[in-house]
Amino acid sequence: MKLTVLGKYGPYPNGANTACSGYLIEQDSTKILVDCGSGVLSRLISAIDINELSAIYLTHLHFDHTSDLLPMGYLLDDLNKDVPVYTHLTNCEYEKILFKNKHFITTHIDGNSIVNIGNLKLSFMEMCHPVINFGVLIEGDKKLGITGDTKYCENVISLAKQSDYLLADCSKPIGFNGPHMGAEWALEIVKESGTTILATHLSPFTQNDIFKNQERIISVEELKTYYL
Ligand SMILES: [Zn+2]
């Protein structure tokens, strides 16, 4: 399984040549895009042939995780290509706009759902964020957990314990008080679960070397592919 980080910033990019949340997970011919924030579409087009995109999973519907889906609809029109999109049903106005394009074939998931896409199996776990956010466990030849956006909660540890790698929203400054995890929680997750953390969702004002020399914590880099 491999993970390409298309964008890691939130809630807005960090200047030129950066992007908000977007991750491409590939195993053999299965290619899943997890989240699609601003700046992600151009990088996705550069990374793969969109005709080969198997599915999209959206952890939640905040703009920095979804906004590039809107122009993607135009591309799918031109290609006449349908893409399955999995996410939790929220019934908000933005959801109706986001999935208006007929090429997005939406399926609503919850904590009991199991989704098989190619040779990857996805299951879901609700985290703790101001809007409903389901983390995902992607099982292939490795197990990759992705938290989406969340503050520290029991389910983060539960997902981490099932994962070889946990792509986690844990890059806010130490002591951060809000709906994401400050860097201190990355250490706690490693201690509690023994997993390896791929730290992401940096605030534009967070220093990039926040996890320098920390064992089992990798601060991910944009446009880098990680062979898990
Ligand atoms: Zn969010």
Side-chain angles (χ1 to χ4, degrees):
M1 189 189 289
K2 59 182 185 175
L3 158 71
T4 303
V5 178
L6 301 175
K8 69 174 182 180
Y9 288 94
Y12 46 84
N14 187 22
N17 301 318
T18 63
C20 289
S21 295
Y23 310 95
L24 178 64
I25 289 90
E26 297 174 83
Q27 187 176 292
D28 305 322
S29 61
T30 306
K31 299 173 197 293
I32 301 174
L33 175 66
V34 175
D35 290 344
C36 191
S38 56
V40 168
L41 180 59
S42 62
R43 289 176 164 183
L44 182 68
I45 292 167
S46 306
I48 61 164
D49 176 350
I50 299 289
N51 282 301
E52 295 173 359
L53 183 64
S54 311
I56 296 169
Y57 175 62
L58 301 174
T59 57
H60 66 302
L61 300 191
H62 274 157
F63 302 151
D64 53 330
H65 294 254
T66 58
S67 62
D68 262 13
L69 229 51
L70 295 165
M72 188 191 289
Y74 298 135
L75 173 59
L76 298 178
D77 284 340
D78 279 354
L79 297 173
N80 195 25
K81 175 181 168 60
D82 291 346
V83 177
V85 181
Y86 299 90
T87 192
H88 187 75
L89 176 68
T90 63
N91 272 324
C92 64
E93 286 303 310
Y94 178 57
E95 180 177 65
K96 289 174 196 150
I97 296 166
L98 203 54
F99 302 134
K100 198 173 166 198
N101 188 293
K102 66 176 192 283
H103 293 293
F104 291 125
I105 312 299
T106 53
T107 300
H108 298 120
I109 59 87
D110 60 25
N112 298 317
S113 306
I114 303 281
V115 172
N116 290 294
I117 302 169
N119 48 10
L120 297 176
K121 177 182 149 196
L122 280 63
S123 53
F124 311 92
M125 200 174 283
E126 189 170 2
M127 298 291 156
C128 187
H129 202 52
V131 299
I132 293 173
N133 173 105
F134 275 85
V136 59
L137 178 66
I138 302 178
E139 297 179 70
D141 53 18
K142 285 282 163 48
K143 294 180 182 178
L144 171 65
I146 300 177
T147 63
D149 283 6
T150 186
K151 55 185 181 181
Y152 185 81
C153 62
E154 256 178 39
N155 275 355
V156 171
I157 297 301
S158 182
L159 181 59
K161 283 181 174 169
Q162 298 174 61
S163 306
D164 298 313
Y165 297 87
L166 184 72
L167 183 63
D169 167 20
C170 60
S171 303
K172 299 299 177 207
I174 288 171
F176 176 83
N177 184 18
H180 307 272
M181 290 181 277
E184 71 274 29
W185 293 109
L187 304 172
E188 185 69 17
I189 296 166
V190 169
K191 197 175 90 190
E192 290 290 321
S193 69
T195 195
T196 297
I197 300 274
L198 301 166
T200 191
H201 212 34
L202 264 72
S203 293
F205 52 82
T206 306
Q207 284 184 339
N208 246 326
D209 61 353
I210 195 165
F211 294 115
K212 216 172 177 184
N213 301 326
Q214 291 286 354
E215 239 177 87
R216 303 196 80 111
I217 303 177
I218 298 160
S219 195
V220 297
E221 292 174 36
E222 289 191 331
L223 298 178
K224 185 165 174 175
T225 297
Y226 296 85
Y227 294 84
L228 307 180

